[in-house]
Amino acid sequence: MTTITITRPDDWHVHLRDGDVLKDTVRDISRYMGRAIIMPNLVPPVTDTDAALSYRERIIAQGPQGNFSPLMVIYLTDNTTAEEIHKAKSSGHIYAAKLYPAGATTNSDSGVTSVENIRPALQALQETGMPLLVHGEVTTHDIDIFDRETVFLETVLAPIVEQYPDLKVVLEHITTADAVEFVTNAGPNVGATITAHHLMFNRNHMLVGGIRPHFYCLPILKRNVHQHALVAAATSGNPKFFLGTDSAPHAQGRKESACGCAGSYTAHAAIELYAEVFDDAGALDKLEAFASFNGPDFYDLPRNTDSITLTKESWTVPETMAFGNDEVVPIRAGEAMAWKVI
Ligand code: LMR
Ligand code: ZN
Ligand code: ZN
């Protein structure tokens, strides 16, 4: 039986949501992840230090497994001040700030309408060394949904990177060869997270033979050449690319509807999904750097010191999983997984 042991991984982009579902999302994320960057797009969004610290308390109150640590993030708005960024840094529990272009994704209505409005915050982030996390898509209605990431790189991100040369930037959940190229060619302070679902799937999986709403996420799945570029980047060993699941649960009924929510649930089997991708690419030896080294190195945090072991043993993902009083349909629902954490 094939077995691999890697340093305990972390998830550098996850949605745990809030309220009665938190017990379920915290159980899954803490099963073997050491730390996770917790996305702040709640209703209302986590726009200041006090809100982030109380959200952290609600997560910890669920009794996460192991020594799991939630790393909190504040949500940038047009009104975020430099003082708030400095306060967040001083709290010791907030590790980044998130740029959601207004209207780009779930609960982004309070997001940023123009980079001009966040210049004091960007300056403060650069001073504190806290990364700017970016949902990299333009929202302009006449830009095709498949082009929104690439246009964002050219029109929004390139100027930010040029104007704030020491700002740490994480381009979240990249989906295109263009994003791989952008991050590869930028300075060492620009990195990217890659989800398991963008590595495993392309738009054919979502659209051929019928629409599969559980594959609907943002940025949307692209054509297979982009998927292949993402797999090449993740398995390259380049330290700029690291694990961020963007596990983003929505109740089954909210996905399986005419205008369903964007987001796919992968926290139930995150490292197992990535292991399968790396195995299929003949690059299992690169999994540990991607999952356990590159993220903490980028964030200037220590790597985890303990380990987890995976074995190549088949198991079946449940059709649905508890999600508060509701249910979530996880990625791979009812299907076999190749790897298992033991
Ligand atoms: C995103 O990162 O854009 C989505 O995962 C948002 C969400 O909360 O479902
Ligand atoms: Zn996003
Ligand atoms: Zn997300």
Side-chain angles (χ1 to χ4, degrees):
M1 201 180 332
T2 314
T3 292
I4 56 166
T5 296
I6 60 169
T7 300
R8 183 176 298 284
D10 306 297
D11 187 344
W12 300 93
H13 180 138
V14 72
H15 301 265
L16 300 184
R17 313 304 191 198
D18 204 356
D20 67 349
V21 306
L22 209 47
K23 64 178 188 311
D24 297 312
T25 57
V26 170
R27 176 199 62 232
D28 285 355
I29 190 67
S30 63
R31 190 155 61 91
Y32 44 68
M33 292 294 176
R35 294 163 286 194
I37 281 280
I38 312 297
M39 286 294 138
N41 59 333
L42 305 182
V43 186
V46 179
T47 54
D48 62 28
T49 304
D50 295 342
L53 295 182
S54 61
Y55 185 26
R56 178 175 176 274
E57 293 302 323
R58 296 198 294 283
I59 293 167
I60 289 172
Q62 307 304 319
Q65 306 180 50
N67 292 319
F68 176 76
S69 301
L71 311 181
M72 309 312 292
V73 176
I74 60 172
Y75 180 120
L76 295 175
T77 71
D78 285 344
N79 303 313
T80 309
T81 61
E83 291 69 38
E84 193 58 49
I85 299 296
H86 287 287
K87 186 176 171 193
K89 172 74 180 176
S90 310
S91 77
H93 293 301
I94 298 171
Y95 289 82
K98 178 75 187 252
L99 166 55
Y100 290 102
T105 186
T106 309
N107 302 338
S108 61
D109 296 350
S110 311
V112 174
T113 61
S114 163
V115 172
E116 294 313 313
N117 298 329
I118 55 165
R119 295 210 177 272
L122 294 179
Q123 186 63 38
L125 287 169
Q126 180 168 251
E127 284 162 23
T128 58
M130 279 205 298
L132 172 73
L133 313 183
V134 182
H135 180 107
E137 289 191 290
V138 294
T139 55
T140 329
H141 283 293
D142 58 358
I143 304 290
D144 190 275
I145 188 170
F146 291 102
D147 297 334
R148 289 181 172 195
E149 181 175 273
T150 301
V151 174
F152 183 91
L153 299 174
E154 293 158 4
T155 61
V156 184
L157 197 58
I160 291 178
V161 167
E162 193 187 316
Q163 289 156 10
Y164 302 89
D166 297 325
L167 178 65
K168 278 194 191 181
V169 177
V170 182
L171 185 55
E172 300 288 347
H173 47 45
I174 59 171
T175 62
T176 57
D178 311 86
V180 169
E181 190 185 338
F182 183 95
V183 171
T184 304
N185 294 337
N189 48 327
V190 178
T193 54
I194 309 182
T195 77
H197 48 285
H198 287 101
L199 293 171
M200 303 198 99
F201 307 120
N202 60 62
R203 64 194 196 184
N204 275 9
H205 293 95
M206 180 175 60
L207 297 171
V208 172
I211 297 170
R212 293 182 192 78
H214 296 283
F215 288 148
Y216 174 61
C217 60
L218 289 171
I220 199 153
L221 294 170
K222 305 296 193 300
R223 41 170 86 238
N224 64 356
V225 291
H226 294 292
Q227 178 196 7
H228 297 156
L230 298 175
V231 172
T235 59
S236 66
N238 184 334
K240 288 168 159 250
F241 298 103
F242 43 92
L243 187 159
T245 61
D246 194 18
S247 177
H250 294 278
Q252 181 172 13
R254 294 179 59 89
K255 291 286 294 174
E256 296 171 10
S257 76
C259 52
C261 299
S264 297
Y265 195 58
T266 53
H268 61 295
I271 196 68
E272 297 95 328
L273 291 165
Y274 284 106
E276 200 170 309
V277 170
F278 279 64
D279 191 9
D280 288 348
L284 268 181
D285 60 320
K286 299 290 196 323
L287 179 64
E288 184 177 41
F290 178 79
S292 317
F293 296 164
N294 299 348
D297 292 359
F298 186 90
Y299 275 80
D300 271 328
L301 291 170
R303 297 174 180 177
N304 292 321
T305 51
D306 57 347
S307 61
I308 65 165
T309 297
L310 293 111
T311 181
K312 201 162 185 179
E313 184 188 322
S314 183
W315 60 285
T316 303
V317 174
E319 295 281 358
T320 59
M321 297 180 69
F323 187 56
N325 293 326
D326 226 312
E327 296 199 309
V328 62
V329 177
I331 286 292
R332 277 288 175 79
E335 293 175 29
M337 295 286 305
W339 287 86
K340 184 178 184 178
V341 174
I342 51 173

